[in-house]
Amino acid sequence: MAHSDPSSTAANPPPELGYPRPGEVLRRLRAQRGMSLRTVAAECGLSVSFLAALERGETDIALERLNRLAAVFGHDVGSFLGFSRGRATPSVFPLQTQEVLERAPGVTYHVLRSPELGYQVITAHFRPHTELGEELQHEGTDLIVMTQGTLVARYNGVDHELSAGDCAQWSAGYPHTFRNDSDEHARFIGVLFSSLY
């Protein structure tokens, strides 16, 4: 009868346990955020050598330490290991903490990045008779939800009028831009499924 090595079981949980290796999760989240082991170590109070061994699958991690590590990436233990889609508490992004971009005269974007989920949220404000002034082309897909007023979305050479409540989705690889031909303010929320800003 074969006997398993108990020391390897701790660092390499068998797949039937139903959870990913914390080191693999750490490596993936670090890559998504562009963070070094040194940065993560400084934020969670664990050593670089311990985190490197965790990523290589050479050591296990206690629950309290795992909680500190998960918090660096805005997760709790459950969401870090994939048992829930997000933290047990909501993430709140106050308006004043979002990046503000003056995209063109009279056109302001607020940008919310959510790298762990792979998208960005843009809140756009177009004052009357303003336009983006350039055509955009980038990777991924865009979803636009008009929340106020009317905008003309020019997509691949064709104008589409969008009013409050309208939604549009498109492949962002084709040229697209926006303009406000009206006397009213116009706003939309855009979800960009590829980083642009």
Side-chain angles (χ1 to χ4, degrees):
M1 180 175 172
H3 295 282
S4 62
D5 176 3
S7 65
S8 67
T9 304
N12 300 301
E16 62 266 21
L17 289 182
Y19 60 86
R21 294 182 183 143
E24 292 175 357
V25 177
L26 170 60
R27 183 182 297 113
R28 185 179 71 249
L29 291 176
R30 277 201 317 107
Q32 288 174 354
R33 306 277 181 98
M35 297 175 74
S36 69
L37 276 175
R38 186 175 306 279
T39 301
V40 175
E43 290 192 28
C44 68
L46 301 173
S47 71
V48 173
S49 59
F50 172 78
L51 294 177
L54 183 67
E55 281 197 355
R56 293 190 301 267
E58 297 172 356
T59 189
D60 206 349
I61 185 168
L63 189 59
E64 186 275 332
R65 287 181 165 194
L66 183 59
N67 188 53
R68 286 163 41 198
L69 178 60
V72 171
F73 299 98
H75 285 276
D76 58 22
V77 171
S79 62
F80 184 82
L81 294 178
F83 291 110
S84 62
R85 294 209 36 99
R87 297 169 52 100
T89 57
S91 297
V92 177
F93 305 93
L95 182 64
Q96 62 269 23
T97 66
Q98 299 171 29
E99 184 176 354
V100 179
L101 299 176
E102 297 299 331
R103 294 291 286 119
V107 179
T108 305
Y109 280 14
H110 284 85
V111 182
L112 170 63
R113 293 178 177 83
S114 188
E116 69 275 7
L117 297 179
Y119 62 80
Q120 292 179 328
V121 178
I122 307 298
T123 305
H125 176 204
F126 285 73
R127 290 177 178 80
H129 302 286
T130 58
E131 61 182 339
L132 199 51
E134 65 175 313
E135 290 193 325
L136 305 172
Q137 281 183 270
H138 54 93
E139 296 296 319
T141 301
D142 294 349
L143 174 65
I144 305 299
V145 180
M146 287 294 300
T147 58
Q148 180 185 352
T150 301
L151 281 178
V152 175
R154 186 169 182 81
Y155 179 78
N156 203 23
V158 179
D159 286 353
H160 303 272
E161 187 173 281
L162 302 175
S163 298
D166 292 345
C167 301
Q169 182 177 347
W170 54 61
S171 169
Y174 291 95
H176 54 282
T177 190
F178 302 93
R179 71 177 188 270
N180 182 359
D181 293 338
S182 77
D183 296 327
E184 307 294 329
H185 291 259
R187 299 175 192 269
F188 71 75
I189 296 172
V191 182
L192 283 58
F193 292 96
S194 183
S195 293
L196 177 61
Y197 299 104

